[in-house]
Amino acid sequence: WVPVVFEAGADAPLGAGFARLGAHHAEHTQIRGGFRQTIPLSHGAPNNAVYWTRDQERLAVAVTEAVPFSVELVPPATPLVRRGSATLEVRVHRDEGFDNQVQLWLIVDPPGVGSAKGVKVPKGQTTAQIALNANGKAAFGDWPLVVIAKANHRGGPVWTSSQLSHLTVADGMVSLALERAAAPQGSTVELVAKVEVPQGFAGQATARLIRLPQHCSAPTLELTAETRELRFPVSVGAEAKPGHHRHVFCQVVVPHPGGSVVHNLGDAELRVDVPHPQAAAKPKPQPKPGEQRQR
């Protein structure tokens, strides 16, 4: 999937028509492709099945009056790493008098990357953040991004698009493996993380545990490119729910010249046990009256 932005100039005449859209190989121009859209014309039982379709080989294009807002996708200053997360900043420029809510989508996600859909920019606001998450197989490279925006205007929805921006997907700067841990309620246990730093980084990064069960806590730790082990002292509260609490992970934030790079690493289990009741101390036998102890 490749996003393409079409733009009408400010002096373009209003009108509509069908355009032919084609593509050819950059080096072997005899390798060509075209546009085809299958349009469903009727539906019915069972399960809203499509009864009749029509293939259209031309793209419907219209030039309309300008919408009263525009959107700008701010180029990200840091890469998105595998098993990491990031946010994209989007700015909404409103014409005077237009204050309706605007909704935002990335029209195409890079392979292995997911993004929040339908992010709302409420009335009176001009910026929003679109959350991104990359899985462990996200494709490396520079990927084109486009935000589309929708708002109500004059009784109906209108759409517009940002210009193209790019997102760099890269390998992680840190890798980390968490070990399992178990502790009774009302105690403290160490959760150990083995650290590797395939890429060096300058300064200090921070690491904190995410998805700890309720009534459990651990401090944020610091690490450098030389760190090979972290030990989180996890305080297990007396009211923590007993059982196996899975998918505890570590969020590592690494400094970067453009800001910071967020890694979500490890997948561990914290088991909370019920304390064993202590056996009551047996009283020492007392000598009977008149009985002497033998030496």
Side-chain angles (χ1 to χ4, degrees), residues 211-263:
R211 287 185 182 172
L212 285 172
Q214 193 173 10
H215 305 295
C216 296
S217 61
T220 298
L221 303 182
E222 293 184 343
L223 66 151
T224 66
E226 287 72 40
T227 302
R228 293 299 175 263
E229 184 178 84
L230 294 171
R231 291 181 172 269
F232 293 92
V234 180
S235 176
V236 181
E239 299 179 356
K241 184 178 179 180
H244 297 264
H245 300 275
R246 298 179 175 87
H247 306 306
V248 176
F249 67 92
C250 185
Q251 187 173 83
V252 181
V253 181
V254 179
H256 185 274
S260 58
V261 179
V262 180
H263 303 66

mmCIF file of all heavy atoms in Angstrom, residues 211-263:
data_model
loop_
_atom_site.group_PDB
_atom_site.id
_atom_site.type_symbol
_atom_site.label_atom_id
_atom_site.label_comp_id
_atom_site.label_asym_id
_atom_site.label_seq_id
_atom_site.Cartn_x
_atom_site.Cartn_y
_atom_site.Cartn_z
ATOM 1 N N ARG A 211 1.974 -2.842 33.832
ATOM 2 C CA ARG A 211 0.992 -3.900 34.053
ATOM 3 C C ARG A 211 1.262 -4.700 35.330
ATOM 4 O O ARG A 211 0.940 -5.889 35.398
ATOM 5 C CB ARG A 211 0.896 -4.855 32.851
ATOM 6 C CG ARG A 211 0.203 -4.251 31.649
ATOM 7 C CD ARG A 211 0.027 -5.285 30.562
ATOM 8 N NE ARG A 211 -0.605 -4.711 29.380
ATOM 9 C CZ ARG A 211 -0.746 -5.340 28.228
ATOM 10 N NH1 ARG A 211 -0.313 -6.595 28.099
ATOM 11 N NH2 ARG A 211 -1.316 -4.757 27.197
ATOM 12 N N LEU A 212 1.860 -4.052 36.305
ATOM 13 C CA LEU A 212 1.906 -4.691 37.616
ATOM 14 C C LEU A 212 0.489 -4.806 38.158
ATOM 15 O O LEU A 212 -0.358 -3.947 37.909
ATOM 16 C CB LEU A 212 2.759 -3.876 38.579
ATOM 17 C CG LEU A 212 4.278 -3.949 38.407
ATOM 18 C CD1 LEU A 212 4.951 -2.936 39.311
ATOM 19 C CD2 LEU A 212 4.797 -5.352 38.678
ATOM 20 N N PRO A 213 0.190 -5.875 38.911
ATOM 21 C CA PRO A 213 -1.167 -5.985 39.469
ATOM 22 C C PRO A 213 -1.451 -4.860 40.448
ATOM 23 O O PRO A 213 -0.536 -4.213 40.975
ATOM 24 C CB PRO A 213 -1.149 -7.350 40.164
ATOM 25 C CG PRO A 213 0.289 -7.698 40.332
ATOM 26 C CD PRO A 213 1.022 -7.030 39.227
ATOM 27 N N GLN A 214 -2.720 -4.621 40.690
ATOM 28 C CA GLN A 214 -3.136 -3.572 41.617
ATOM 29 C C GLN A 214 -2.553 -3.830 43.003
ATOM 30 O O GLN A 214 -2.418 -4.970 43.429
ATOM 31 C CB GLN A 214 -4.666 -3.510 41.681
ATOM 32 C CG GLN A 214 -5.209 -2.267 42.355
ATOM 33 C CD GLN A 214 -6.720 -2.188 42.247
ATOM 34 O OE1 GLN A 214 -7.371 -3.130 41.835
ATOM 35 N NE2 GLN A 214 -7.285 -1.060 42.630
ATOM 36 N N HIS A 215 -2.181 -2.753 43.685
ATOM 37 C CA HIS A 215 -1.573 -2.789 45.019
ATOM 38 C C HIS A 215 -0.130 -3.305 44.978
ATOM 39 O O HIS A 215 0.408 -3.706 46.012
ATOM 40 C CB HIS A 215 -2.401 -3.619 46.003
ATOM 41 C CG HIS A 215 -3.818 -3.180 46.122
ATOM 42 N ND1 HIS A 215 -4.182 -1.942 46.639
ATOM 43 C CD2 HIS A 215 -4.980 -3.797 45.769
ATOM 44 C CE1 HIS A 215 -5.493 -1.829 46.615
ATOM 45 N NE2 HIS A 215 -6.005 -2.930 46.086
ATOM 46 N N CYS A 216 0.489 -3.307 43.788
ATOM 47 C CA CYS A 216 1.912 -3.634 43.656
ATOM 48 C C CYS A 216 2.613 -2.449 43.004
ATOM 49 O O CYS A 216 2.034 -1.771 42.150
ATOM 50 C CB CYS A 216 2.121 -4.893 42.813
ATOM 51 S SG CYS A 216 1.438 -6.404 43.535
ATOM 52 N N SER A 217 3.845 -2.212 43.392
ATOM 53 C CA SER A 217 4.565 -1.068 42.845
ATOM 54 C C SER A 217 6.054 -1.375 42.800
ATOM 55 O O SER A 217 6.564 -2.243 43.518
ATOM 56 C CB SER A 217 4.324 0.194 43.681
ATOM 57 O OG SER A 217 4.782 0.004 45.014
ATOM 58 N N ALA A 218 6.762 -0.633 41.922
ATOM 59 C CA ALA A 218 8.207 -0.751 41.793
ATOM 60 C C ALA A 218 8.756 0.590 41.336
ATOM 61 O O ALA A 218 8.098 1.311 40.566
ATOM 62 C CB ALA A 218 8.584 -1.851 40.803
ATOM 63 N N PRO A 219 9.955 0.963 41.758
ATOM 64 C CA PRO A 219 10.515 2.255 41.358
ATOM 65 C C PRO A 219 11.018 2.227 39.917
ATOM 66 O O PRO A 219 11.268 1.169 39.337
ATOM 67 C CB PRO A 219 11.677 2.444 42.344
ATOM 68 C CG PRO A 219 12.095 1.048 42.690
ATOM 69 C CD PRO A 219 10.840 0.235 42.684
ATOM 70 N N THR A 220 11.167 3.410 39.346
ATOM 71 C CA THR A 220 11.807 3.558 38.037
ATOM 72 C C THR A 220 13.322 3.484 38.212
ATOM 73 O O THR A 220 13.879 4.125 39.111
ATOM 74 C CB THR A 220 11.408 4.893 37.400
ATOM 75 O OG1 THR A 220 9.995 4.907 37.191
ATOM 76 C CG2 THR A 220 12.098 5.092 36.065
ATOM 77 N N LEU A 221 13.979 2.697 37.381
ATOM 78 C CA LEU A 221 15.423 2.532 37.460
ATOM 79 C C LEU A 221 16.097 3.207 36.270
ATOM 80 O O LEU A 221 15.476 3.409 35.222
ATOM 81 C CB LEU A 221 15.798 1.042 37.480
ATOM 82 C CG LEU A 221 15.183 0.197 38.603
ATOM 83 C CD1 LEU A 221 15.682 -1.239 38.513
ATOM 84 C CD2 LEU A 221 15.495 0.790 39.969
ATOM 85 N N GLU A 222 17.364 3.528 36.438
ATOM 86 C CA GLU A 222 18.154 4.123 35.360
ATOM 87 C C GLU A 222 19.155 3.105 34.830
ATOM 88 O O GLU A 222 19.598 2.215 35.561
ATOM 89 C CB GLU A 222 18.878 5.377 35.856
ATOM 90 C CG GLU A 222 17.934 6.519 36.214
ATOM 91 C CD GLU A 222 18.687 7.772 36.615
ATOM 92 O OE1 GLU A 222 19.903 7.665 36.927
ATOM 93 O OE2 GLU A 222 18.081 8.860 36.614
ATOM 94 N N LEU A 223 19.498 3.245 33.545
ATOM 95 C CA LEU A 223 20.487 2.376 32.939
ATOM 96 C C LEU A 223 21.273 3.143 31.897
ATOM 97 O O LEU A 223 20.801 4.171 31.385
ATOM 98 C CB LEU A 223 19.844 1.139 32.315
ATOM 99 C CG LEU A 223 18.914 1.338 31.104
ATOM 100 C CD1 LEU A 223 18.941 0.108 30.211
ATOM 101 C CD2 LEU A 223 17.487 1.602 31.548
ATOM 102 N N THR A 224 22.459 2.621 31.583
ATOM 103 C CA THR A 224 23.312 3.196 30.552
ATOM 104 C C THR A 224 23.609 2.117 29.515
ATOM 105 O O THR A 224 23.137 0.983 29.620
ATOM 106 C CB THR A 224 24.631 3.723 31.142
ATOM 107 O OG1 THR A 224 25.396 2.604 31.631
ATOM 108 C CG2 THR A 224 24.364 4.698 32.283
ATOM 109 N N ALA A 225 24.420 2.467 28.534
ATOM 110 C CA ALA A 225 24.780 1.494 27.498
ATOM 111 C C ALA A 225 25.609 0.352 28.059
ATOM 112 O O ALA A 225 25.736 -0.690 27.414
ATOM 113 C CB ALA A 225 25.541 2.195 26.374
ATOM 114 N N GLU A 226 26.167 0.513 29.266
ATOM 115 C CA GLU A 226 26.977 -0.547 29.877
ATOM 116 C C GLU A 226 26.160 -1.449 30.809
ATOM 117 O O GLU A 226 26.678 -2.461 31.293
ATOM 118 C CB GLU A 226 28.141 0.065 30.669
ATOM 119 C CG GLU A 226 29.256 0.645 29.798
ATOM 120 C CD GLU A 226 28.854 1.926 29.091
ATOM 121 O OE1 GLU A 226 28.160 2.757 29.723
ATOM 122 O OE2 GLU A 226 29.214 2.090 27.894
ATOM 123 N N THR A 227 24.922 -1.123 31.077
ATOM 124 C CA THR A 227 24.106 -1.909 32.013
ATOM 125 C C THR A 227 23.772 -3.263 31.411
ATOM 126 O O THR A 227 23.372 -3.351 30.244
ATOM 127 C CB THR A 227 22.811 -1.159 32.361
ATOM 128 O OG1 THR A 227 23.143 0.122 32.920
ATOM 129 C CG2 THR A 227 21.974 -1.941 33.353
ATOM 130 N N ARG A 228 23.895 -4.301 32.194
ATOM 131 C CA ARG A 228 23.573 -5.655 31.733
ATOM 132 C C ARG A 228 22.528 -6.331 32.606
ATOM 133 O O ARG A 228 22.055 -7.425 32.280
ATOM 134 C CB ARG A 228 24.842 -6.521 31.689
ATOM 135 C CG ARG A 228 25.855 -6.069 30.636
ATOM 136 C CD ARG A 228 25.271 -6.128 29.236
ATOM 137 N NE ARG A 228 26.164 -5.599 28.219
ATOM 138 C CZ ARG A 228 26.091 -4.366 27.747
ATOM 139 N NH1 ARG A 228 25.163 -3.525 28.202
ATOM 140 N NH2 ARG A 228 26.939 -3.950 26.818
ATOM 141 N N GLU A 229 22.163 -5.726 33.714
ATOM 142 C CA GLU A 229 21.138 -6.320 34.575
ATOM 143 C C GLU A 229 20.437 -5.229 35.367
ATOM 144 O O GLU A 229 21.061 -4.257 35.808
ATOM 145 C CB GLU A 229 21.767 -7.341 35.529
ATOM 146 C CG GLU A 229 20.751 -8.080 36.395
ATOM 147 C CD GLU A 229 21.404 -9.110 37.299
ATOM 148 O OE1 GLU A 229 21.878 -8.729 38.402
ATOM 149 O OE2 GLU A 229 21.457 -10.289 36.906
ATOM 150 N N LEU A 230 19.128 -5.384 35.515
ATOM 151 C CA LEU A 230 18.327 -4.505 36.355
ATOM 152 C C LEU A 230 17.598 -5.364 37.384
ATOM 153 O O LEU A 230 17.123 -6.452 37.066
ATOM 154 C CB LEU A 230 17.304 -3.722 35.524
ATOM 155 C CG LEU A 230 17.847 -2.696 34.524
ATOM 156 C CD1 LEU A 230 16.717 -2.181 33.643
ATOM 157 C CD2 LEU A 230 18.517 -1.536 35.248
ATOM 158 N N ARG A 231 17.490 -4.833 38.594
ATOM 159 C CA ARG A 231 16.766 -5.539 39.652
ATOM 160 C C ARG A 231 15.701 -4.603 40.220
ATOM 161 O O ARG A 231 16.030 -3.621 40.885
ATOM 162 C CB ARG A 231 17.718 -6.016 40.749
ATOM 163 C CG ARG A 231 18.658 -7.141 40.294
ATOM 164 C CD ARG A 231 19.579 -7.605 41.405
ATOM 165 N NE ARG A 231 20.323 -8.792 40.989
ATOM 166 C CZ ARG A 231 19.914 -10.045 41.178
ATOM 167 N NH1 ARG A 231 18.752 -10.260 41.814
ATOM 168 N NH2 ARG A 231 20.631 -11.056 40.763
ATOM 169 N N PHE A 232 14.445 -4.901 39.906
ATOM 170 C CA PHE A 232 13.334 -4.083 40.370
ATOM 171 C C PHE A 232 12.825 -4.624 41.706
ATOM 172 O O PHE A 232 12.336 -5.765 41.764
ATOM 173 C CB PHE A 232 12.181 -4.101 39.363
ATOM 174 C CG PHE A 232 12.478 -3.429 38.060
ATOM 175 C CD1 PHE A 232 12.990 -4.152 36.989
ATOM 176 C CD2 PHE A 232 12.251 -2.071 37.893
ATOM 177 C CE1 PHE A 232 13.258 -3.534 35.784
ATOM 178 C CE2 PHE A 232 12.512 -1.450 36.681
ATOM 179 C CZ PHE A 232 13.019 -2.185 35.630
ATOM 180 N N PRO A 233 12.882 -3.849 42.789
ATOM 181 C CA PRO A 233 12.250 -4.282 44.032
ATOM 182 C C PRO A 233 10.733 -4.041 43.960
ATOM 183 O O PRO A 233 10.275 -2.893 43.993
ATOM 184 C CB PRO A 233 12.911 -3.403 45.096
ATOM 185 C CG PRO A 233 13.344 -2.176 44.360
ATOM 186 C CD PRO A 233 13.618 -2.588 42.942
ATOM 187 N N VAL A 234 9.975 -5.102 43.834
ATOM 188 C CA VAL A 234 8.524 -5.001 43.685
ATOM 189 C C VAL A 234 7.872 -5.152 45.053
ATOM 190 O O VAL A 234 8.055 -6.181 45.723
ATOM 191 C CB VAL A 234 7.984 -6.068 42.720
ATOM 192 C CG1 VAL A 234 6.470 -5.938 42.570
ATOM 193 C CG2 VAL A 234 8.658 -5.939 41.354
ATOM 194 N N SER A 235 7.149 -4.141 45.457
ATOM 195 C CA SER A 235 6.420 -4.183 46.717
ATOM 196 C C SER A 235 5.032 -4.762 46.459
ATOM 197 O O SER A 235 4.242 -4.180 45.701
ATOM 198 C CB SER A 235 6.318 -2.777 47.308
ATOM 199 O OG SER A 235 5.529 -2.778 48.478
ATOM 200 N N VAL A 236 4.753 -5.910 47.060
ATOM 201 C CA VAL A 236 3.471 -6.594 46.895
ATOM 202 C C VAL A 236 2.596 -6.248 48.097
ATOM 203 O O VAL A 236 2.905 -6.645 49.230
ATOM 204 C CB VAL A 236 3.658 -8.116 46.780
ATOM 205 C CG1 VAL A 236 2.317 -8.812 46.595
ATOM 206 C CG2 VAL A 236 4.601 -8.456 45.624
ATOM 207 N N GLY A 237 1.548 -5.485 47.864
ATOM 208 C CA GLY A 237 0.702 -5.044 48.958
ATOM 209 C C GLY A 237 -0.090 -6.174 49.594
ATOM 210 O O GLY A 237 -0.323 -7.221 48.983
ATOM 211 N N ALA A 238 -0.526 -5.942 50.820
ATOM 212 C CA ALA A 238 -1.305 -6.959 51.529
ATOM 213 C C ALA A 238 -2.648 -7.215 50.859
ATOM 214 O O ALA A 238 -3.248 -8.282 51.046
ATOM 215 C CB ALA A 238 -1.521 -6.527 52.975
ATOM 216 N N GLU A 239 -3.127 -6.239 50.050
ATOM 217 C CA GLU A 239 -4.421 -6.390 49.380
ATOM 218 C C GLU A 239 -4.276 -6.825 47.925
ATOM 219 O O GLU A 239 -5.271 -6.889 47.193
ATOM 220 C CB GLU A 239 -5.199 -5.080 49.446
ATOM 221 C CG GLU A 239 -5.511 -4.618 50.866
ATOM 222 C CD GLU A 239 -6.264 -3.312 50.900
ATOM 223 O OE1 GLU A 239 -6.477 -2.732 49.806
ATOM 224 O OE2 GLU A 239 -6.631 -2.860 51.989
ATOM 225 N N ALA A 240 -3.046 -7.133 47.479
ATOM 226 C CA ALA A 240 -2.856 -7.590 46.102
ATOM 227 C C ALA A 240 -3.610 -8.905 45.872
ATOM 228 O O ALA A 240 -3.648 -9.775 46.746
ATOM 229 C CB ALA A 240 -1.378 -7.774 45.812
ATOM 230 N N LYS A 241 -4.192 -9.038 44.694
ATOM 231 C CA LYS A 241 -4.988 -10.229 44.395
ATOM 232 C C LYS A 241 -4.080 -11.436 44.180
ATOM 233 O O LYS A 241 -3.171 -11.405 43.352
ATOM 234 C CB LYS A 241 -5.827 -9.988 43.136
ATOM 235 C CG LYS A 241 -6.767 -11.138 42.794
ATOM 236 C CD LYS A 241 -7.592 -10.804 41.569
ATOM 237 C CE LYS A 241 -8.513 -11.965 41.210
ATOM 238 N NZ LYS A 241 -9.337 -11.660 39.998
ATOM 239 N N PRO A 242 -4.318 -12.529 44.909
ATOM 240 C CA PRO A 242 -3.485 -13.721 44.702
ATOM 241 C C PRO A 242 -3.721 -14.312 43.309
ATOM 242 O O PRO A 242 -4.816 -14.210 42.746
ATOM 243 C CB PRO A 242 -3.969 -14.687 45.799
ATOM 244 C CG PRO A 242 -4.708 -13.836 46.773
ATOM 245 C CD PRO A 242 -5.286 -12.700 46.007
ATOM 246 N N GLY A 243 -2.669 -14.931 42.765
ATOM 247 C CA GLY A 243 -2.787 -15.590 41.473
ATOM 248 C C GLY A 243 -1.630 -15.252 40.561
ATOM 249 O O GLY A 243 -0.661 -14.593 40.946
ATOM 250 N N HIS A 244 -1.744 -15.721 39.310
ATOM 251 C CA HIS A 244 -0.709 -15.517 38.290
ATOM 252 C C HIS A 244 -1.048 -14.253 37.492
ATOM 253 O O HIS A 244 -2.079 -14.198 36.816
ATOM 254 C CB HIS A 244 -0.632 -16.724 37.360
ATOM 255 C CG HIS A 244 -0.239 -17.994 38.056
ATOM 256 N ND1 HIS A 244 1.055 -18.450 38.092
ATOM 257 C CD2 HIS A 244 -0.983 -18.896 38.756
ATOM 258 C CE1 HIS A 244 1.105 -19.584 38.773
ATOM 259 N NE2 HIS A 244 -0.116 -19.877 39.183
ATOM 260 N N HIS A 245 -0.195 -13.268 37.556
ATOM 261 C CA HIS A 245 -0.395 -12.006 36.842
ATOM 262 C C HIS A 245 0.608 -11.972 35.688
ATOM 263 O O HIS A 245 1.804 -11.738 35.887
ATOM 264 C CB HIS A 245 -0.211 -10.818 37.778
ATOM 265 C CG HIS A 245 -1.163 -10.818 38.940
ATOM 266 N ND1 HIS A 245 -2.435 -10.293 38.860
ATOM 267 C CD2 HIS A 245 -1.037 -11.328 40.194
ATOM 268 C CE1 HIS A 245 -3.048 -10.443 40.021
ATOM 269 N NE2 HIS A 245 -2.224 -11.072 40.848
ATOM 270 N N ARG A 246 0.113 -12.209 34.483
ATOM 271 C CA ARG A 246 0.972 -12.357 33.309
ATOM 272 C C ARG A 246 1.095 -11.045 32.537
ATOM 273 O O ARG A 246 0.369 -10.095 32.775
ATOM 274 C CB ARG A 246 0.429 -13.468 32.397
ATOM 275 C CG ARG A 246 0.415 -14.834 33.078
ATOM 276 C CD ARG A 246 -0.154 -15.902 32.154
ATOM 277 N NE ARG A 246 -0.062 -17.235 32.743
ATOM 278 C CZ ARG A 246 -0.975 -17.751 33.545
ATOM 279 N NH1 ARG A 246 -2.057 -17.063 33.858
ATOM 280 N NH2 ARG A 246 -0.807 -18.967 34.041
ATOM 281 N N HIS A 247 2.027 -11.056 31.596
ATOM 282 C CA HIS A 247 2.256 -9.950 30.659
ATOM 283 C C HIS A 247 2.723 -8.674 31.349
ATOM 284 O O HIS A 247 2.398 -7.571 30.919
ATOM 285 C CB HIS A 247 1.005 -9.684 29.822
ATOM 286 C CG HIS A 247 0.477 -10.894 29.119
ATOM 287 N ND1 HIS A 247 1.259 -11.667 28.296
ATOM 288 C CD2 HIS A 247 -0.755 -11.495 29.154
ATOM 289 C CE1 HIS A 247 0.535 -12.679 27.833
ATOM 290 N NE2 HIS A 247 -0.670 -12.608 28.344
ATOM 291 N N VAL A 248 3.482 -8.823 32.422
ATOM 292 C CA VAL A 248 4.189 -7.671 32.981
ATOM 293 C C VAL A 248 5.376 -7.366 32.051
ATOM 294 O O VAL A 248 6.136 -8.273 31.694
ATOM 295 C CB VAL A 248 4.687 -7.974 34.401
ATOM 296 C CG1 VAL A 248 5.519 -6.808 34.941
ATOM 297 C CG2 VAL A 248 3.516 -8.271 35.330
ATOM 298 N N PHE A 249 5.516 -6.122 31.629
ATOM 299 C CA PHE A 249 6.634 -5.789 30.743
ATOM 300 C C PHE A 249 7.330 -4.529 31.223
ATOM 301 O O PHE A 249 6.876 -3.854 32.161
ATOM 302 C CB PHE A 249 6.177 -5.651 29.287
ATOM 303 C CG PHE A 249 5.270 -4.484 29.009
ATOM 304 C CD1 PHE A 249 5.790 -3.255 28.612
ATOM 305 C CD2 PHE A 249 3.889 -4.608 29.111
ATOM 306 C CE1 PHE A 249 4.958 -2.176 28.349
ATOM 307 C CE2 PHE A 249 3.047 -3.549 28.836
ATOM 308 C CZ PHE A 249 3.584 -2.330 28.457
ATOM 309 N N CYS A 250 8.450 -4.243 30.581
ATOM 310 C CA CYS A 250 9.292 -3.123 30.978
ATOM 311 C C CYS A 250 9.307 -2.076 29.868
ATOM 312 O O CYS A 250 9.575 -2.410 28.706
ATOM 313 C CB CYS A 250 10.706 -3.617 31.270
ATOM 314 S SG CYS A 250 11.810 -2.342 31.913
ATOM 315 N N GLN A 251 9.028 -0.840 30.218
ATOM 316 C CA GLN A 251 9.096 0.256 29.255
ATOM 317 C C GLN A 251 10.418 0.990 29.455
ATOM 318 O O GLN A 251 10.666 1.565 30.518
ATOM 319 C CB GLN A 251 7.920 1.211 29.423
ATOM 320 C CG GLN A 251 7.843 2.280 28.349
ATOM 321 C CD GLN A 251 6.575 3.101 28.449
ATOM 322 O OE1 GLN A 251 6.524 4.046 29.231
ATOM 323 N NE2 GLN A 251 5.568 2.745 27.675
ATOM 324 N N VAL A 252 11.255 0.941 28.428
ATOM 325 C CA VAL A 252 12.574 1.563 28.474
ATOM 326 C C VAL A 252 12.558 2.780 27.556
ATOM 327 O O VAL A 252 12.260 2.662 26.357
ATOM 328 C CB VAL A 252 13.676 0.575 28.049
ATOM 329 C CG1 VAL A 252 15.043 1.239 28.141
ATOM 330 C CG2 VAL A 252 13.641 -0.678 28.918
ATOM 331 N N VAL A 253 12.878 3.925 28.097
ATOM 332 C CA VAL A 253 12.906 5.178 27.337
ATOM 333 C C VAL A 253 14.359 5.593 27.171
ATOM 334 O O VAL A 253 15.056 5.873 28.152
ATOM 335 C CB VAL A 253 12.102 6.280 28.049
ATOM 336 C CG1 VAL A 253 12.128 7.567 27.226
ATOM 337 C CG2 VAL A 253 10.666 5.826 28.284
ATOM 338 N N VAL A 254 14.814 5.589 25.912
ATOM 339 C CA VAL A 254 16.224 5.850 25.597
ATOM 340 C C VAL A 254 16.358 7.262 25.025
ATOM 341 O O VAL A 254 15.578 7.646 24.137
ATOM 342 C CB VAL A 254 16.751 4.808 24.590
ATOM 343 C CG1 VAL A 254 18.209 5.089 24.242
ATOM 344 C CG2 VAL A 254 16.601 3.402 25.163
ATOM 345 N N PRO A 255 17.334 8.044 25.502
ATOM 346 C CA PRO A 255 17.506 9.400 24.948
ATOM 347 C C PRO A 255 17.938 9.352 23.491
ATOM 348 O O PRO A 255 18.674 8.456 23.064
ATOM 349 C CB PRO A 255 18.594 10.013 25.845
ATOM 350 C CG PRO A 255 19.321 8.842 26.422
ATOM 351 C CD PRO A 255 18.307 7.747 26.563
ATOM 352 N N HIS A 256 17.476 10.339 22.721
ATOM 353 C CA HIS A 256 17.776 10.437 21.293
ATOM 354 C C HIS A 256 17.939 11.915 20.961
ATOM 355 O O HIS A 256 17.305 12.777 21.596
ATOM 356 C CB HIS A 256 16.609 9.826 20.487
ATOM 357 C CG HIS A 256 16.842 9.766 19.012
ATOM 358 N ND1 HIS A 256 16.555 10.822 18.173
ATOM 359 C CD2 HIS A 256 17.343 8.770 18.216
ATOM 360 C CE1 HIS A 256 16.854 10.487 16.933
ATOM 361 N NE2 HIS A 256 17.333 9.259 16.930
ATOM 362 N N PRO A 257 18.770 12.268 19.972
ATOM 363 C CA PRO A 257 18.932 13.685 19.640
ATOM 364 C C PRO A 257 17.608 14.391 19.340
ATOM 365 O O PRO A 257 17.484 15.603 19.584
ATOM 366 C CB PRO A 257 19.838 13.646 18.395
ATOM 367 C CG PRO A 257 20.638 12.390 18.566
ATOM 368 C CD PRO A 257 19.704 11.409 19.209
ATOM 369 N N GLY A 258 16.601 13.656 18.824
ATOM 370 C CA GLY A 258 15.318 14.288 18.524
ATOM 371 C C GLY A 258 14.318 14.223 19.653
ATOM 372 O O GLY A 258 13.206 14.732 19.525
ATOM 373 N N GLY A 259 14.677 13.594 20.769
ATOM 374 C CA GLY A 259 13.747 13.464 21.887
ATOM 375 C C GLY A 259 14.038 12.200 22.680
ATOM 376 O O GLY A 259 15.064 12.090 23.340
ATOM 377 N N SER A 260 13.156 11.227 22.591
ATOM 378 C CA SER A 260 13.355 9.951 23.279
ATOM 379 C C SER A 260 12.678 8.849 22.479
ATOM 380 O O SER A 260 11.699 9.090 21.763
ATOM 381 C CB SER A 260 12.807 10.001 24.704
ATOM 382 O OG SER A 260 11.422 10.333 24.708
ATOM 383 N N VAL A 261 13.216 7.617 22.621
ATOM 384 C CA VAL A 261 12.707 6.453 21.901
ATOM 385 C C VAL A 261 12.176 5.467 22.934
ATOM 386 O O VAL A 261 12.908 5.070 23.852
ATOM 387 C CB VAL A 261 13.803 5.803 21.041
ATOM 388 C CG1 VAL A 261 13.264 4.583 20.318
ATOM 389 C CG2 VAL A 261 14.354 6.809 20.041
ATOM 390 N N VAL A 262 10.921 5.058 22.762
ATOM 391 C CA VAL A 262 10.239 4.208 23.737
ATOM 392 C C VAL A 262 10.281 2.759 23.272
ATOM 393 O O VAL A 262 9.881 2.448 22.147
ATOM 394 C CB VAL A 262 8.780 4.658 23.954
ATOM 395 C CG1 VAL A 262 8.089 3.761 24.963
ATOM 396 C CG2 VAL A 262 8.739 6.112 24.417
ATOM 397 N N HIS A 263 10.775 1.859 24.150
ATOM 398 C CA HIS A 263 10.792 0.421 23.910
ATOM 399 C C HIS A 263 9.850 -0.246 24.922
ATOM 400 O O HIS A 263 9.869 0.099 26.106
ATOM 401 C CB HIS A 263 12.196 -0.161 24.101
ATOM 402 C CG HIS A 263 13.259 0.452 23.242
ATOM 403 N ND1 HIS A 263 13.661 1.760 23.371
ATOM 404 C CD2 HIS A 263 14.030 -0.083 22.259
ATOM 405 C CE1 HIS A 263 14.621 2.014 22.494
ATOM 406 N NE2 HIS A 263 14.872 0.915 21.815
#
